[in-house]
Amino acid sequence: MKVLEIDKSRRKVVLSRKKAMEELRGKMRENTMKVLEEGQIVSGTVARLTNFGAFINLGGADGLVHISELSWKRIKHPNEVVRVGETVDVRVLSVQPDKDRISLSLRQARPDPWTTAMENLKVNDVIDGKGSKLAKNYVFVEIAEGVEGLVPLSELADHRVSKPSEYFKPDQPVRVKILEVKPDSRRILLSKRQASGSHSG
């Protein structure tokens, strides 16, 4: 309890539990922000979700994992990756006590799927993927969890393709051949046309 008022003449003391809890929370937050360091991996609990990210309680302080830092793959809402009450490991990206802000990353606390993909994928391999999305000159295909490759329109079919949507639908299984792998730019070039009739091995 926090003492708010003492009236000796009336032998009255006014106490507040709410104020005491607020002060305690403030001290805990301050202490948490002091011990956090950039690059550190810490454990926390998912406190709440919004359209733009997830707030993680680190024991006294909440940090934000922006939606772009939740997963190595593209997601539309944080509930695709985490749920309220779940315990997760996160990497501390920045601590700004003056702005009362802690930025966190969930994906950076987990193995980068590109590292594994670079070890396993080789040029001329024929693999099974899943349609991801259409862009102006490319079709994106997910070939591993969190790893997408690009199929140029010219590599969709043996003839000129004017409507890629006729050959490609999001979430549709698709067989592709790896044409080029560029680890530095995290870019994989694929062909649907050259994979036709091939068997993955």
Side-chain angles (χ1 to χ4, degrees):
M1 297 287 190
K2 181 178 174 66
V3 178
L4 298 184
E5 186 186 329
I6 298 175
D7 188 336
K8 287 183 180 174
S9 61
R10 292 185 184 176
R11 300 173 66 84
K12 187 174 95 173
V13 179
V14 179
L15 303 170
S16 170
R17 185 171 185 274
K18 187 182 171 190
K19 286 283 183 191
M21 293 306 290
E22 278 175 8
E23 278 194 13
L24 182 63
R25 273 196 294 268
K27 279 178 185 165
M28 283 174 69
R29 182 171 183 84
E30 206 176 293
N31 290 340
T32 301
M33 292 189 96
K34 272 181 192 169
V35 298
L36 287 178
E37 291 176 11
E38 287 183 24
Q40 204 176 12
I41 304 285
V42 292
S43 188
T45 308
V46 180
R48 64 186 195 280
L49 304 178
T50 68
N51 289 332
F52 57 83
F55 285 90
I56 312 295
N57 184 277
L58 303 174
D62 283 0
L64 172 67
V65 179
H66 189 267
I67 191 166
S68 62
E69 287 295 334
L70 274 169
S71 175
W72 287 105
K73 66 177 185 178
R74 242 190 302 269
I75 59 167
K76 289 176 182 171
H77 195 276
N79 62 15
E80 294 174 43
V81 183
V82 290
R83 64 183 187 277
V84 173
E86 184 182 352
T87 302
V88 291
D89 287 335
V90 287
R91 180 183 286 273
V92 180
L93 298 182
S94 69
V95 182
Q96 299 168 283
D98 53 326
K99 292 183 180 175
D100 207 23
R101 187 183 297 163
I102 302 167
S103 297
L104 306 168
S105 173
L106 184 71
R107 69 182 184 130
Q108 290 185 42
R110 294 175 174 177
D112 183 351
W114 275 86
T115 309
T116 312
M118 291 304 112
E119 290 169 3
N120 299 332
L121 301 175
K122 291 173 183 62
V123 172
N124 294 327
D125 279 0
V126 174
I127 55 173
D128 291 314
K130 186 174 71 171
S132 178
K133 67 167 190 166
L134 287 167
K136 191 178 178 185
N137 299 312
Y138 295 96
V139 161
F140 287 83
V141 174
E142 187 179 20
I143 51 176
E145 178 81 19
V147 180
E148 287 181 336
L150 302 169
V151 180
L153 297 191
S154 59
E155 290 296 335
L156 271 177
D158 285 325
H159 53 274
R160 186 181 166 85
V161 175
S162 54
K163 283 189 178 177
S165 56
E166 290 177 4
Y167 296 84
F168 179 90
K169 300 277 188 297
D171 293 325
Q172 171 190 316
V174 58
R175 177 158 285 191
V176 287
K177 182 178 183 178
I178 298 172
L179 301 182
E180 190 178 14
V181 177
K182 291 183 177 177
D184 295 344
S185 54
R186 295 167 82 93
R187 188 178 164 104
I188 299 172
L189 212 57
L190 306 168
S191 172
K192 181 177 185 289
R193 176 176 69 85
Q194 294 182 45
S196 299
S198 301
H199 297 282
S200 55

